[in-house]
Amino acid sequence: MPTKLIEVSLPLTEINEACVTEKKLRSGVPSNIHAWWARRPFVAARAILFAQLVDDPSAHPDEFPTPETIEAERERLFTVLRALLDPKGPSKTVLAQARAEIVRCVGDQVEVSDPFAGGGSIPVEAQRLGLRVRSTDLNPVAVLL
């Protein structure tokens, strides 16, 4: 299995800043439907899903043979990831770019399973990225929501 982007590098400062911004929003985001005590930021779920499905360029030495080409490709992927960090939700164009990168790396038959979905950040963002999702929770309130 190829090394994934999340295993090598992430723009954590930008992800953290976007999470703080999202938490301050009071309208226009799904988290305002119901206050969930342990809700994870949608921005973080989106970034982590992308980074764990997309290959790091170092996994493909035939395509990226030098450290410079690896770093350039990694920066291109970070550009896509940074575009996903809009706290009010990324544009359809950005989602299509992210989906294309995911399909290029893992195909189009990926299914995300979240057996402890809670507030639903992971399932919502996986669907937003065009992935099939199965989720549930032990808490009947979470399942109902």
Side-chain angles (χ1 to χ4, degrees):
M1 178 172 248
T3 303
K4 299 300 180 181
L5 190 60
I6 195 170
E7 297 177 85
V8 179
S9 182
L10 284 176
L12 291 175
T13 301
E14 290 97 330
I15 294 170
N16 289 335
E17 289 169 357
C19 289
V20 169
T21 302
E22 177 187 307
K23 197 153 185 107
K24 292 177 183 177
L25 293 176
R26 295 291 174 234
S27 65
V29 291
S31 61
N32 292 325
I33 294 170
H34 174 70
W36 192 257
W37 55 86
R39 189 192 64 77
R40 304 297 175 251
F42 287 93
V43 170
R46 197 177 316 131
I48 296 308
L49 283 162
F50 178 80
Q52 70 184 2
L53 293 170
V54 173
D55 297 346
D56 185 73
S58 64
H60 301 284
D62 50 324
E63 290 180 60
F64 309 104
T66 66
E68 293 79 19
T69 58
I70 289 171
E71 196 54 41
E73 176 62 7
R74 194 174 288 143
E75 189 54 41
R76 186 187 71 76
L77 293 172
F78 282 173
T79 300
V80 175
L81 193 148
R82 286 181 186 110
L84 288 170
L85 297 179
D86 183 345
K88 289 189 176 181
S91 70
K92 289 182 181 181
T93 304
V94 170
L95 288 170
Q97 285 177 314
R99 173 79 175 142
E101 292 297 333
I102 292 169
V103 168
R104 181 179 62 82
C105 294
V106 294
D108 62 352
Q109 299 301 310
V110 174
E111 184 172 293
V112 173
S113 178
D114 187 357
F116 303 103
S121 299
I122 293 171
V124 166
E125 292 306 328
Q127 284 182 325
R128 203 179 264 189
L129 289 169
L131 306 170
R132 291 184 311 215
V133 177
R134 290 180 189 259
S135 64
T136 190
D137 200 286
L138 295 173
N139 182 338
V141 174
V143 172
L144 177 67
L145 293 172

